[in-house]
Amino acid sequence: MMEMIYTETAPKAIGPYSQAMKVNDFLFLSGQIPVNPVTNEVVEHDIIQQTNQVMKNIKAILESEGLTLENIIKTTIFIKDMSQFPIINEEYSKYFNEHKPARSTVEVSALPKNVLIEIEAIAYMGQ
């Protein structure tokens, strides 16, 4: 069973995709970029602010399905500059405490809307 997920509390998709797809006990979140869902604009060009906005967007999608960050089992982080990895890591870690999802981090040459970071996630909805 598959279901497209949409919430007003996260940025609208900027292309032909959904914010997330629910498949059985899993929620697959599309890559989130640092767009404020209220203004629909990219937040300031600063890696700390952009990382935090992305995490807020992920959290909003999860919450729309009654989930928390604790349900995330895997993330993939796409960044434009690997030298910013320590800063990103510090901000990212503030959201996970003892829960440590599996993760990959990849440096890319460009991201949508010229942002500095994009994060996608997979969450488990079962007990």
Side-chain angles (χ1 to χ4, degrees):
M1 183 161 144
M2 290 190 298
E3 177 186 350
M4 287 191 305
I5 303 303
Y6 174 76
T7 176
E8 291 283 336
T9 59
K12 295 176 180 153
I14 59 172
Y17 60 90
S18 58
Q19 291 170 327
M21 287 292 295
K22 188 188 311 185
V23 181
N24 299 321
D25 288 338
F26 294 93
L27 187 66
F28 297 86
L29 284 75
S30 293
Q32 295 299 303
I33 61 173
V35 171
N36 180 315
V38 175
T39 65
N40 205 34
E41 298 292 327
V42 173
V43 298
E44 188 173 323
H45 205 69
D46 169 82
I47 195 60
I48 292 172
Q49 290 182 4
Q50 289 200 1
T51 302
N52 282 292
Q53 184 64 56
V54 167
M55 294 306 297
K56 289 175 189 174
N57 294 345
I58 289 171
K59 193 173 172 188
I61 295 169
L62 292 170
E63 288 174 350
S64 78
E65 292 300 305
L67 303 174
T68 70
L69 293 170
E70 298 288 315
N71 292 93
I72 293 178
I73 57 174
K74 170 76 167 78
T75 62
T76 304
I77 302 175
F78 303 94
I79 57 178
K80 283 183 64 174
D81 183 357
M82 193 59 79
S83 72
Q84 294 183 322
F85 180 73
I87 300 165
I88 294 164
N89 215 30
E90 184 177 328
E91 293 306 310
Y92 175 95
S93 68
K94 293 176 183 176
Y95 290 87
F96 287 105
N97 300 318
E98 296 302 312
H99 178 67
K100 307 277 190 258
R103 182 180 82 182
S104 301
T105 304
V106 181
E107 182 180 66
V108 296
S109 62
L111 289 165
K113 296 190 177 244
N114 201 31
V115 299
L116 304 174
I117 185 169
E118 178 175 358
I119 302 176
E120 65 181 23
I122 301 170
Y124 180 65
M125 302 176 76
Q127 297 306 101

